[in-house]
Amino acid sequence: MSHDERILTTCPRDCYDACGIEVAIRDGVIRHVRGDRDHHVSRGRLCTKCATAYNGVLLDPDARLLTPLGRDGPKGSGRFKALSWEQALDEIACRLSAIVSTSGADKILGAHYTGTFALLGYDFPTRFMRRLGAREVDPDTICNKAGHVALEYLYGTSLDGFDPRSARDAACILVWGANPSASAPHQHEHWLPEAPGRVVVVDPVRTPTAREADLHLQPFPGSDAALAFAIANVISREGMLDRELLQGHSVGFDELEPLLEDCTPEWGERVTGVPASAIEQAGRWYGAGPSLLWIGQGFQRQPRGGNAVRAVAQLAALSGNLGRPGTGVLYLNGAHSRGIDEDYLAGSSIAGSVPEPISHMDLVGCLEDPEQSRALLCWNINIAASNPQQARLRRALTRDDLFTVVIDLFPTDTTDLADFVLPAASFLECDDLVASYFHLTLSAQVKAIEPLGQSLPNTEIFRRLAAAMGFDEPELQESDADAIEHLLRGTGLGLDFAQLAERGTVWAYPEPRIQFADLRFPTPSGRIELASESAAKDGHPRLAQPFADPRPADGLLRLLTPASPWMLNDSFANEPKIARRVGTPTVALHPADAAARGIADGDRVVVSNEVGALQLTVTLSEDLPPGVAFSPKGRWPKLESERANVNVLNPGTAGDMGASTTVHGIEVAVTAVG
Ligand SMILES: Nc1nc2c(c(=O)[nH]1)N[C@H]1C(S)=C(S)[C@@H](COP(=O)(O)OP(=O)(O)OC[C@H]3O[C@@H](n4cnc5c(=O)[nH]c(N)nc54)[C@H](O)[C@@H]3O)O[C@H]1N2
Ligand SMILES: Nc1nc2c(c(=O)[nH]1)N[C@H]1C(S)=C(S)[C@@H](COP(=O)(O)OP(=O)(O)OC[C@H]3O[C@@H](n4cnc5c(=O)[nH]c(N)nc54)[C@H](O)[C@@H]3O)O[C@H]1N2
Ligand code: SF4
Ligand SMILES: [Mo]
């Protein structure tokens, strides 16, 4: 009789949770993939989307890419022929070498993000791209760059957040522009409810997390900076400013203080739509502390999202909610806080000149222009679904003189437009490391089964590509096992991979780490920079400003398209059970906005603006403020009747900082069909 073998591994999706997973295998076949009962986050249950997809489409050989493919028809026809790895890589190397010698390596673009956010799967390919001298499409510009830039101005870092375990000492947790009920499901289900303090949520949408909070502030999208200044006004008025911290450890408070005076709660109500009494309550709870501030990625996707993050994040400094138990600010926790040497991983030792990156907001323009682009390599990203200017991008990707290679697990809209498609192995099929960007843990991703078909991990694909190109730097051939052991030695945890794999997940610090415990900040002055010379040099105001975006002009609505609980970005739209569950694509409207347009629940509408149009089915929702439309991201254009998703409406305008996405700043008209 055979018995199940049990393997502990970790979910490497771009998700706050980094769930511990138990895989049961019998005779080399997976029997089930489920939450590890003993894991502090998953506690025996994965989110529904992964529980479904990891036992469904991810293991389905009919859904996965199984061999390298070469285009066998016009671009975008989706016609491919199967190739051996050797054939495919030889041809790719030949084409890339020719482009390097005729046009220059800087005409080769590399676009990648967090399809897998496991350390090697995410970063190892960068070694090859550096050696090639290709131009990187700055990964964070599609997601969260504005927030990173803003926090660097203010605190000198965006990647050294509070330790979530410090919630046990917090009297208040302020969740600003994050929706854990979708994007961090276990923090919604366990972390927030188990925290002893009050929970305050700031979100234009009454999300399930907002509904369960002690207080929900519902500002109009893009008015967060004004709201933060009104809260700062309350903190000041109530005598809750931490003048000692401000004097000893910050610069610019003398310039900021006069700005606070006019930002009364009543003014705040007028510009944000949040009642003055709620602003006062939030100010008193947060200001009294000890308080944690979780800065989500939602509101920095507004046109002036960088300014908004500066305005919100400085609340911690003003009220002294820094440097002691139960206080701090979290945007993301970087892997370096667990001793992971990311420079080593990304091959910063490899010499060669790396051209200036471009923003994802400029990708379409660059791909339309043969002077700027000759080749595109994509991995861990599905640009034809997730990038702005969807219709223009599709056209640009059909350029005959653009040589395109896409690496993915599944045949996506982006692979359909490639010249060569290379099949990637899933996280169940290779070893790696996962560093949660929320908890300060390190986890093992452990190979449970052999890669499906001829698929290979990203690392092996890039090793083979380097060899085919004739690159002989040893860093490009380092094995996964060697890289993992090197990284683990750097952590000082005293564990090798086998020991980590046995435990699944380990904490980097035995006790909750206090953020900024020494009140030294990695800014140029070593202090909190409320006024920032660096910001001024980059063309921004020295100080955060109490801005609120103007409301959309007559008849237009602000469209929000954030995370859905059913999809992980653009992953899992091809999982049949999930597709059935989510049904046709919808847009939610406030009943007053629907009535004003003669629209009823269930009606078909056209949502449109200057870049595109999309038909959607209306649902009515009192969870939105009037003036806001809502349609979650994550659908595959190729599976939709119009071969488009909400990004056909995204003009791709760059935000105020870091040339970052403004995907939540889109304005649309909504009209009944017919
Ligand atoms: N309208 C709208 N658009 C958005 C957003 C929004 O809020 N609204 N959010 C933006 C944000 S925050 C992000 S991060 C982007 C992300 O958007 P996407 O790039 O679509 O992200 P994912 O679906 O996470 O992953 C991309 C691809 O990586 C593949 N993949 C998974 N594992 C591996 C692997 O091991 N190797 C390889 N080679 N591929 C793998 C998956 O199959 C998937 O096709 O979308 C952005 N687009
Ligand atoms: N289930 C699921 N989980 C995910 C993802 C997914 O697609 N699905 N994506 C992953 C990725 S790549 C990322 S980057 C994270 C993102 O996760 P989050 O940080 O939670 O960001 P979003 O989902 O973009 O938006 C969060 C909230 O911001 C709100 N918001 C929009 N505009 C504004 C505004 O102007 N002000 C305020 N205060 N709030 C605003 C939205 O209504 C939304 O509820 O989630 C990750 N986790
Ligand atoms: S996507 Fe997030 S919640 Fe779902 S299993 Fe992975 S880590 Fe857990
Ligand atoms: Mo993201």
Side-chain angles (χ1 to χ4, degrees):
M1 201 176 89
S2 47
H3 287 282
D4 285 357
E5 183 192 354
R6 180 173 166 267
I7 285 178
L8 294 184
T9 186
T10 309
C11 179
R13 300 277 79 76
D14 186 338
C15 170
Y16 292 89
D17 290 8
C19 285
I21 292 180
E22 179 199 290
V23 186
I25 303 166
R26 189 176 293 176
D27 304 327
V29 177
I30 291 185
R31 290 173 56 80
H32 64 244
V33 179
R34 66 179 172 214
D36 169 10
R37 246 163 308 207
D38 300 323
H39 191 264
H40 73 113
V41 172
S42 58
R43 302 188 195 176
R45 268 187 50 210
L46 303 181
C47 63
T48 318
K49 59 189 179 300
C50 290
T52 311
Y54 291 171
N55 291 288
V57 74
L58 197 72
L59 304 176
D60 179 0
D62 293 332
R64 289 270 300 273
L65 291 165
L66 299 178
T67 66
L69 300 171
R71 182 159 65 86
D72 195 24
K75 273 230 169 169
S77 63
R79 290 214 300 274
F80 292 96
K81 60 173 186 291
L83 301 172
S84 69
W85 275 103
E86 207 179 2
Q87 278 172 316
L89 292 174
D90 282 350
E91 284 192 51
I92 293 169
C94 188
R95 294 286 295 273
L96 291 178
S97 302
I99 291 168
V100 172
S101 53
T102 55
S103 309
D106 62 331
K107 306 299 183 304
I108 303 173
L109 302 175
H112 63 110
Y113 206 46
T114 51
T116 177
F117 208 16
L119 296 174
L120 271 61
Y122 175 77
D123 240 356
F124 184 87
T126 310
R127 294 185 181 184
F128 170 83
M129 298 303 281
R130 263 180 216 254
R131 168 63 182 83
L132 184 62
R135 192 184 298 281
E136 186 178 45
V137 186
D138 183 345
D140 286 341
T141 56
I142 196 64
C143 174
N144 55 23
K145 181 87 180 207
H148 284 301
V149 174
L151 288 164
E152 275 160 29
Y153 290 144
L154 182 65
Y155 293 121
T157 171
S158 56
L159 291 166
D160 299 279
F162 62 67
D163 182 335
R165 290 174 297 177
S166 50
R168 68 183 193 200
D169 297 311
C172 174
I173 301 180
L174 176 52
V175 181
W176 199 307
N179 175 18
S181 69
S183 63
H186 297 82
Q187 313 315 326
H188 168 78
E189 211 177 307
H190 305 304
W191 183 71
L192 280 171
E194 288 166 13
R198 291 195 175 95
V199 176
V200 179
V201 171
V202 183
D203 197 308
V205 181
R206 196 159 176 79
T207 64
T209 304
R211 209 172 293 137
E212 286 171 29
D214 296 283
L215 181 64
H216 175 205
L217 309 188
Q218 209 167 359
F220 198 79
S223 67
D224 296 90
L227 180 61
F229 270 81
I231 290 176
N233 174 292
V234 175
I235 288 170
S236 164
R237 217 169 60 178
E238 299 271 326
M240 294 190 294
L241 288 172
D242 188 336
R243 291 191 181 271
E244 207 182 304
L245 177 80
L246 291 168
Q247 246 156 39
H249 304 280
S250 79
V251 291
F253 182 64
D254 52 329
E255 292 170 68
L256 181 65
E257 195 167 22
L259 282 183
L260 301 182
E261 269 160 39
D262 294 335
C263 300
T264 61
E266 293 70 29
W267 167 84
E269 175 167 342
R270 279 197 303 282
V271 294
T272 70
V274 178
S277 58
I279 296 175
E280 282 167 1
Q281 184 63 271
R284 280 196 293 268
W285 282 351
Y286 180 78
S291 298
L292 297 176
L293 172 57
W294 177 356
I295 295 189
Q297 301 170 63
F299 71 102
Q300 57 87 47
R301 295 185 186 131
Q302 296 292 351
R304 290 184 286 189
N307 176 69
V309 170
R310 280 175 91 189
V312 171
Q314 70 188 11
L315 291 173
L318 296 173
S319 58
N321 277 304
L322 285 177
R324 56 200 170 90
T327 70
V329 178
L330 172 82
Y331 188 47
L332 301 169
N333 273 317
H336 68 96
S337 59
R338 276 135 282 180
I340 294 293
D341 184 348
E342 289 166 292
D343 285 341
Y344 152 82
L345 190 51
S348 61
S349 62
I350 295 171
S353 68
V354 181
E356 268 297 296
I358 61 159
S359 165
H360 271 284
M361 300 308 107
D362 297 324
L363 179 61
V364 74
C366 186
L367 291 178
E368 282 168 339
D369 179 4
E371 297 295 310
Q372 295 183 61
S373 57
R374 292 281 165 181
L376 172 69
L377 268 66
C378 292
W379 67 99
N380 291 346
I381 198 166
N382 181 2
I383 56 172
S386 56
N387 271 51
Q389 291 277 8
Q390 192 165 86
R392 247 178 88 191
L393 182 61
R394 255 198 110 72
R395 279 194 300 276
L397 288 170
T398 55
R399 233 181 77 199
D400 267 323
D401 59 346
L402 180 74
F403 176 64
T404 309
V405 179
V406 182
I407 310 171
D408 205 299
L409 275 74
F410 297 107
T412 66
D413 286 273
T414 310
T415 65
D416 283 353
L417 289 156
D419 294 288
F420 286 88
V421 179
L422 303 177
S426 85
F427 81 102
L428 296 169
E429 298 152 26
C430 55
D431 291 341
D432 210 319
L433 296 171
V434 176
S436 163
Y437 54 75
F438 193 71
H439 289 290
L440 295 173
T441 51
L442 189 66
S443 307
Q445 174 189 303
V446 180
K447 177 175 175 175
I449 53 169
E450 288 304 320
L452 255 62
Q454 295 177 45
S455 67
L456 293 172
N458 288 351
T459 46
E460 177 62 15
I461 294 174
F462 280 87
R463 280 191 291 266
R464 291 189 187 190
L465 190 52
M469 291 290 292
F471 295 164
D472 53 16
E473 288 76 1
E475 293 94 323
L476 302 176
Q477 293 304 328
E478 190 176 25
S479 70
D480 292 356
D482 286 351
I484 288 172
E485 293 307 336
H486 180 107
L487 289 173
L488 283 177
R489 275 195 302 278
T491 65
L493 288 167
L495 297 171
D496 65 17
F497 188 67
Q499 291 163 324
L500 182 64
E502 202 174 307
R503 292 167 64 178
T505 290
V506 296
W507 294 94
Y509 309 90
E511 285 301 311
R513 197 173 63 139
I514 295 176
Q515 183 193 27
F516 302 133
D518 59 0
L519 295 178
R520 291 198 52 76
F521 299 86
T523 54
S525 64
R527 293 164 171 240
I528 302 161
E529 300 202 341
L530 302 168
S532 162
E533 277 311 317
S534 316
K537 267 196 217 112
D538 294 342
H540 308 297
R542 280 166 55 76
L543 298 151
Q545 300 294 314
F547 293 148
D549 292 351
R551 300 293 166 102
D554 257 2
L556 298 184
L557 302 175
R558 194 81 167 229
L559 175 67
L560 301 181
T561 59
S564 150
W566 291 101
M567 316 275 184
L568 196 296
N569 293 331
D570 296 281
S571 297
F572 309 152
N574 61 335
E575 159 59 51
K577 285 185 183 155
I578 291 179
R580 273 201 298 281
R581 178 62 183 71
V582 295
T584 57
T586 58
V587 60
L589 300 178
H590 188 274
D593 290 324
R597 290 164 182 74
I599 294 166
D601 196 57
D603 281 359
R604 295 286 287 170
V605 290
V606 181
V607 181
S608 63
N609 61 12
E610 71 281 11
V611 288
L614 191 65
Q615 284 203 18
L616 297 166
T617 301
V618 166
T619 60
L620 298 184
S621 172
E622 305 258 8
D623 292 333
L624 304 170
V628 175
F630 179 95
S631 184
K633 65 172 158 178
R635 309 193 61 115
W636 279 16
K638 67 193 268 186
L639 302 180
E640 303 295 314
S641 58
E642 294 177 283
R643 296 186 70 81
N645 70 15
V646 288
N647 282 317
V648 80
L649 300 165
N650 184 357
T653 316
D656 60 348
M657 289 180 193
S660 196
T661 174
T662 59
V663 71
H664 293 335
I666 302 172
E667 293 186 2
V668 293
V670 178
T671 48
V673 170

